[in-house]
Amino acid sequence: MDLKPEEHPKGSFILVLIFFAIFMGMYLLNWKQLSEIWHVG
Amino acid sequence: MSITPVPYGWWKTPMHAEEKWWVSIALVWCIAITIAMPAWHFVGKQNSSQEYYTISVEDFNTLTEDFIEKYKSGTTGPVGDNQDEWDIVTPPPGSDIFLRSMQWRWDPVLKLKAGETYRLHLSSIDVLHGLSIHPLNMNFEAVPGWDYVLTITPTKAGDYRIICNEFCGADHHGMIGQIIVE
Amino acid sequence: MSEFRTCSITGLKVHLPAEKLIKINAVTAIVFLLVGGILGLLMVLTRWQAVHLLPAELFYRLLTLHGIAMLVAWIIFWEMAALYLTSAVLLNSRLAVPWVGWLQYLLMLVGGGIVTVIVLIGGADVMFTSYVPLKAHPLYYLGVILFAVGAILGCVVFFATVVVAKTEGTYTGSLPLVTYGAACAAIIAIITLSHGAIVFIPTLLWSAGLIPPMDAEVYRLIFWGFGHSSQQINVCTMVAVWYMLGSLTVGSSPLNEKVCRTAFVLYVLFICIASEHHILVDPGFSAAHKSWNTSYFMHLAVLASMIHAFSVPAATEVALRKKGYTRGTFEWLKKAPWGNPGWSSLFLSLVGFGFLGGTTGVIYGTEQLNILSHNNLRIPGHFHATVVAGTTLAFMGGTYYVLPLIFQREVAFPGLAKIQPYLFGIPIMLFSTFMMVAGGFGVARRSADMYGSGGFSVEYSPIVDISLSIMGLSGVVACLGGAAFCVIAVATLLIGKKIS
């Protein structure tokens, strides 16, 4: 699909980056929580 | 439109800049979170155990009974409204300890030392049960016919509960046990 | 050509036998949604610890039925309607072998009916998962097998119709993206429903006393080939419905067909092995096996979802920008048709599934992180975000278009329909979020009373009480939102103005 410069999906790109930041934050927080429980293996 | 057939040749349409960026970011992320799992086996202290054996429920039951007899240090006395009793077992650090799940009890009550390592044998003698050490929120599956060996090191003293979190019948919610760490 | 009518809105040729099958499957789906929704209200009022409505036995029995009515019956009946819609209607074709379609419907209805009755009379208090050696009445397993076989037949009719359309030349070029997505869902469906049929055959024989029980771990492995992968049918269909709603609401086209279709293929190739993330804290499997399978081979199925997470909104954004909403970054979003229930369902479903369901799915399904999540409330929190806020809401949005296009009636109570997606979507997101928060503090799932029943006492963090209260309140509101949908759908069928 041909897009003029003002038709590029910049808004969706920003939305998806916000999504990604939240995803990374929750993911890392879970590893931190995991590192605080009893050792098991 | 997405609901109409597309003329042939769509495979050759180039990607737009935003799409290229996002697919690249996503791909790198997916590779990173894949590598994280094997990596944690080397740098992390919390992994699900790779040691397990098949065992008949009768044998596991006998092993648990022998274990309780060997290291029994007392009983809890009547607990709660139901007035049920549990054996308290104080095994030496480094030993093999057994935790038997059945409808609807965890046996025995284990008394462990903080900072010491134990080989916890987990299994069930009837249906599936779920070991959830509360309030740590550490969860493992107790499967009949399988002896699951978890090498655990309780890091903090406290009075812990074992909540069953795999549905196991009428009194599933009442299946609560205890681990004491000193 | 009396077998066809021409749609006055889209100009598509609609095959009447296909239309009948779409109608009957959609109506049955909504009936099960209503049943499951009433049960859902009872569930939430029991897990809301301050209310704690049902006694344990009834809670477990109805929870079993809630899972089956929603996860299996509502969603798969609706998917059957979607398969016939995306094949026969979108391709301008006749439906191949309509009698097999009717056999599909009959088998699923009889199977679903048997299961419902057996559960209600207390013959199968085993939950949706029915893990051996917990035993249900043999008819329960038979019902599930009939249902699964019926659904497989529906997929067969879908593929036969695609072949008929191709050979009879009812369309030119490649399949529409939505049909392509539905085809991927149908492939996944055949794989996963076969697992269901396979695992329940020995279970049925065991329950009938004919063979010894199978190993509990083997059952878990194969069952999740059905239990989780069948949810991947929903994911795949939901994404297809997202693209469809984008086209119907704002006339969007995929930004890049190659990217979207490749993402669908990634689902087919990799998503089925994801079922193994249910056995991450089980004995019997090596770490290599677990991390290989739970990562769906390098998380490539997650990559697929992340691609759709961008290309679905981007397609609508471009369509809106082409209409002239080009100022700033977000003018298109402000000017989007928020009063159209199709659009609001699409957007809320995208947010609910993406931000809450998808992310938590990856996190909880990571080999070691699963230790913190296995079987606590985080898990139902996760799948209420995916299957309810995501799939169910998307299907509701789709229904708002099926009603005028297939049932040829104007949607009743348009004012209520305008707000219904918000009334359902926002509370269900809150519900899922706070369910997951409570799960993070160790509240078990499928528990009739988190404080036990008179043995050892259990204490929880004060956050748990607050979380469960928010969960309870928003769950009740979400049930009202779901009820509003059922009222609109039923009223449209009964008293909606006919479109000629």
Side-chain angles (χ1 to χ4, degrees):
Chain A
M1 195 180 351
D2 290 324
L3 297 183
K4 295 187 200 121
E6 72 273 15
E7 288 171 357
H8 275 264
K10 299 178 208 85
S12 297
F13 190 62
I14 289 177
L15 288 180
V16 94
L17 287 182
I18 295 171
F19 155 79
F20 185 52
I22 293 174
F23 187 2
M24 272 209 292
M26 293 199 320
Y27 179 78
L28 295 174
L29 183 72
N30 270 269
W31 280 111
K32 191 181 169 290
Q33 284 178 347
L34 183 75
S35 68
E36 287 163 359
I37 60 172
W38 291 358
H39 299 172
V40 56
Chain B
M1 286 208 293
S2 310
I3 51 171
T4 45
V6 201
Y8 294 126
W10 49 265
W11 185 258
K12 290 184 185 132
T13 315
M15 289 161 78
H16 294 290
E18 288 86 356
E19 236 173 352
K20 269 189 199 158
W21 270 106
W22 175 243
V23 174
S24 314
I25 293 171
L27 181 63
V28 170
W29 172 247
C30 288
I31 292 170
I33 60 178
T34 301
I35 293 171
M37 292 186 285
W40 194 261
H41 281 275
F42 296 100
V43 300
K45 302 276 186 223
Q46 295 83 9
N47 288 289
S48 75
S49 167
Q50 299 194 61
E51 190 180 350
Y52 40 77
Y53 309 95
T54 51
I55 188 170
S56 72
V57 293
E58 294 79 19
D59 287 350
F60 190 84
N61 198 34
T62 313
L63 285 169
T64 312
E65 296 290 343
D66 293 348
F67 163 72
I68 293 174
E69 202 173 317
K70 195 167 169 192
Y71 298 122
K72 186 173 164 179
S73 62
T75 69
T76 55
V79 173
D81 295 342
N82 299 346
Q83 301 285 297
D84 293 335
E85 283 194 23
W86 277 263
D87 293 318
I88 298 178
V89 173
T90 314
S95 61
D96 283 86
I97 59 179
F98 290 80
L99 185 60
R100 178 186 63 196
S101 56
M102 57 192 274
Q103 287 172 325
W104 290 281
R105 278 175 73 98
W106 296 97
D107 284 295
V109 167
L110 294 166
K111 210 176 226 182
L112 308 177
K113 277 208 163 60
E116 300 290 348
T117 300
Y118 301 85
R119 284 164 50 79
L120 172 67
H121 294 255
L122 173 68
S123 191
S124 158
I125 59 165
D126 41 42
V127 300
L128 286 167
H129 296 284
L131 168 89
S132 177
I133 303 175
H134 185 76
L136 293 168
N137 199 11
M138 283 178 77
N139 307 289
F140 291 93
E141 193 82 11
V143 185
W146 290 83
D147 175 8
Y148 197 10
V149 187
L150 303 166
T151 306
I152 57 163
T153 311
T155 47
K156 251 177 83 182
D159 180 7
Y160 297 90
R161 291 288 178 273
I162 308 169
I163 299 175
C164 177
N165 66 7
E166 186 66 83
F167 177 70
C168 58
D171 196 28
H172 157 59
H173 52 288
M175 184 170 163
I176 295 171
Q178 187 184 29
I179 296 180
I180 303 158
V181 179
E182 291 176 327
Chain C
M1 296 294 270
S2 59
E3 287 239 286
F4 288 91
R5 71 171 172 86
T6 306
C7 176
S8 56
I9 304 166
T10 55
L12 284 167
K13 261 188 348 181
V14 181
H15 189 223
L16 297 175
E19 186 181 79
K20 263 195 199 132
L21 276 167
I22 296 171
K23 281 183 181 174
I24 190 93
N25 278 295
V27 169
T28 313
I30 291 170
V31 170
F32 274 105
L33 177 69
L34 187 65
V35 172
I38 294 167
L39 296 171
L41 183 66
L42 296 172
M43 295 303 105
V44 73
L45 287 176
T46 307
R47 285 316 304 258
W48 184 358
Q49 194 68 33
V51 180
H52 204 243
L53 183 69
L54 296 182
E57 193 191 3
L58 201 56
F59 171 77
Y60 291 134
R61 185 162 303 160
L62 297 184
L63 182 54
T64 306
L65 192 57
H66 171 64
I68 291 162
M70 291 303 218
L71 268 178
V72 181
W74 141 249
I75 286 182
I76 297 186
F77 271 113
W78 204 94
E79 277 161 357
M80 290 301 128
L83 284 183
Y84 299 145
L85 179 82
T86 52
S87 56
V89 178
L90 290 188
L91 298 180
N92 255 326
S93 165
R94 67 180 173 90
L95 189 78
V97 282
W99 68 271
V100 179
W102 284 102
L103 190 59
Q104 162 266 315
Y105 177 72
L106 213 65
L107 282 175
M108 282 174 60
L109 189 69
V110 171
I114 292 176
V115 170
T116 307
V117 170
I118 290 290
V119 172
L120 278 178
I121 61 173
D125 294 339
V126 291
M127 297 290 145
F128 167 68
T129 45
S130 58
Y131 290 132
V132 298
L134 213 55
K135 199 182 275 188
H137 191 278
L139 282 176
Y140 171 84
Y141 306 108
L142 185 69
V144 179
I145 293 170
L146 292 180
F147 191 96
V149 171
I152 290 174
L153 289 180
C155 300
V156 170
V157 174
F158 170 84
F159 285 115
T161 306
V162 173
V163 171
V164 163
K166 184 85 189 168
T167 47
E168 295 181 358
T170 61
Y171 70 99
T172 47
S174 296
L175 286 180
L177 180 63
V178 173
T179 309
Y180 189 87
C184 293
I187 296 171
I188 296 172
I190 290 176
I191 300 170
T192 178
L193 294 166
S194 312
H195 277 87
I198 289 166
V199 79
F200 280 117
I201 290 168
T203 318
L204 166 68
L205 296 176
W206 157 73
S207 165
L210 299 173
I211 58 168
M214 75 168 95
D215 183 273
E217 198 55 50
V218 171
Y219 176 89
R220 269 170 71 73
L221 179 69
I222 306 175
F223 173 82
W224 283 115
F226 161 67
H228 201 104
S229 306
S230 64
Q231 306 316 310
Q232 320 293 12
I233 319 171
N234 309 340
V235 174
C236 207
T237 314
M238 174 190 67
V239 176
V241 170
W242 282 347
Y243 283 113
M244 183 176 84
L245 285 173
S247 284
L248 292 171
T249 52
V250 296
S252 71
S253 300
L255 211 52
N256 189 309
E257 295 278 353
K258 175 170 62 182
V259 174
C260 299
R261 286 172 200 239
T262 308
F264 273 121
V265 172
L266 290 179
Y267 275 152
V268 174
L269 291 179
F270 300 112
I271 215 162
C272 286
I273 56 180
S275 51
E276 300 214 4
H277 59 225
H278 288 263
I279 50 177
L280 292 178
V281 293
D282 281 31
F285 306 93
S286 70
H289 175 100
K290 286 174 177 173
S291 58
W292 172 271
N293 284 296
T294 195
S295 72
Y296 328 83
F297 179 61
M298 306 274 285
H299 280 106
L300 284 179
V302 173
L303 178 67
S305 285
M306 290 177 82
I307 289 173
H308 291 306
F310 174 70
S311 57
V312 172
T316 62
E317 176 173 1
V318 169
L320 286 162
R321 281 176 183 271
K322 280 188 184 291
K323 286 182 179 163
Y325 303 126
T326 50
R327 263 188 293 127
T329 319
F330 289 117
E331 193 200 12
W332 63 278
L333 198 59
K334 274 182 228 140
K335 296 284 169 65
W338 292 103
N340 176 343
W343 169 268
S344 52
S345 303
L346 161 64
F347 212 84
L348 290 171
S349 161
L350 193 61
V351 170
F353 185 92
F355 282 74
L356 297 173
T359 52
T360 54
V362 175
I363 294 167
Y364 303 165
T366 296
E367 191 200 344
Q368 294 90 349
L369 297 178
N370 189 253
I371 294 172
L372 296 174
S373 324
H374 183 70
N375 276 346
N376 60 36
L377 271 185
R378 281 177 147 198
I379 302 304
H382 152 73
F383 67 69
H384 279 85
T386 53
V387 181
V388 189
T391 309
T392 298
L393 191 52
F395 287 3
M396 284 175 173
T399 307
Y400 286 119
Y401 279 91
V402 170
L403 290 173
L405 296 178
I406 300 296
F407 288 89
Q408 294 172 277
R409 283 178 188 270
E410 280 178 21
V411 173
F413 310 127
L416 183 61
K418 234 180 207 181
I419 58 164
Q420 187 274 329
Y422 302 96
L423 195 60
F424 180 72
I426 293 169
I428 203 70
M429 284 186 222
L430 281 172
F431 170 87
S432 312
T433 307
F434 284 94
M435 205 173 201
M436 290 190 271
V437 171
F441 289 93
V443 182
R445 70 184 289 198
R446 294 174 165 177
S447 166
D449 192 334
M450 64 188 210
Y451 291 110
S453 63
F456 286 110
S457 62
V458 193
E459 283 170 15
Y460 293 90
S461 150
I463 300 171
V464 166
D465 256 346
I466 303 166
S467 299
L468 290 178
S469 299
I470 303 176
M471 178 198 91
L473 264 174
S474 44
V476 171
V477 179
C479 285
L480 291 177
F485 171 77
C486 294
V487 166
I488 294 167
V490 173
T492 305
L493 298 185
L494 297 179
I495 57 164
K497 216 176 99 194
K498 278 205 166 155
I499 302 169
S500 52

